[in-house]
Amino acid sequence: MAIDCITIEQYLHEHIPMSKAMAVAVASINDSGVLLSAPLAPNINHRNTVFGGSISTLAILSAWTFVHVQLKTLNIPSRIVIQSNSLEYTNPATGDVQARCFAPDSNVWQCFINTLTKRGKGRISLSSEVYSNGLLVGQFHGKYVALKSND
């Protein structure tokens, strides 16, 4: 099942309203990861930089989107929730931001799929990096839980 960026972006905007308010765009989706972007204007703070909450949301959403797309591609209906996360802010974001979630090691991913398939519940840890104007502004690590559903 091929999934395109526009379809996923529409899904995010419809089902996660904050993504629409932030003007999140899906820049790329492939086996190596997901790249989301958001403009400065709707995410600006009082210091004319990107609000930390927007950076965190974009990073969380990039990893969530990766799991969502991969499970949809495998035709495994599930509910995906974040269990825990951390984000280190490394620099102020002075312009538009991009969050790239990196695909996990194939053995880690396969273990997650096997557990989800056999037990109906799987956990996976993912990482994202957030950039603004080519500068690393955040490093994210999150643990996600997928629960098989009958949808």
Side-chain angles (χ1 to χ4, degrees), residues 19-72:
S19 69
K20 186 174 184 179
M22 291 174 56
V24 170
V26 179
S28 71
I29 300 170
N30 55 46
D31 290 338
S32 65
V34 168
L35 178 64
L36 302 182
S37 64
L40 173 63
N43 298 292
I44 201 163
N45 66 18
H46 64 293
R47 298 285 184 198
N48 293 322
T49 61
V50 176
F51 175 61
S54 293
I55 293 170
S56 178
T57 300
L58 193 66
I60 289 168
L61 197 55
S62 70
W64 184 94
T65 301
F66 176 81
V67 176
H68 172 74
V69 167
Q70 295 301 317
L71 292 179
K72 203 146 191 62

Side-chain angles (χ1 to χ4, degrees), residues 2-19:
I3 298 179
D4 65 279
C5 294
I6 293 170
T7 301
I8 295 302
E9 187 174 313
Q10 289 171 341
Y11 180 90
L12 293 175
H13 289 181
E14 182 178 331
H15 293 91
I16 305 174
M18 181 180 278
S19 69

Side-chain angles (χ1 to χ4, degrees), residues 112-146:
F112 166 71
I113 294 299
N114 291 344
T115 303
L116 176 59
T117 303
K118 288 178 185 172
R119 297 189 180 155
K121 181 178 183 179
R123 287 184 177 81
I124 191 159
S125 295
L126 296 169
S127 297
S128 295
E129 292 181 347
V130 184
Y131 288 86
S132 178
N133 295 326
L135 185 65
L136 180 67
V137 298
Q139 293 181 299
F140 168 85
H141 301 285
K143 185 181 289 183
Y144 293 80
V145 178

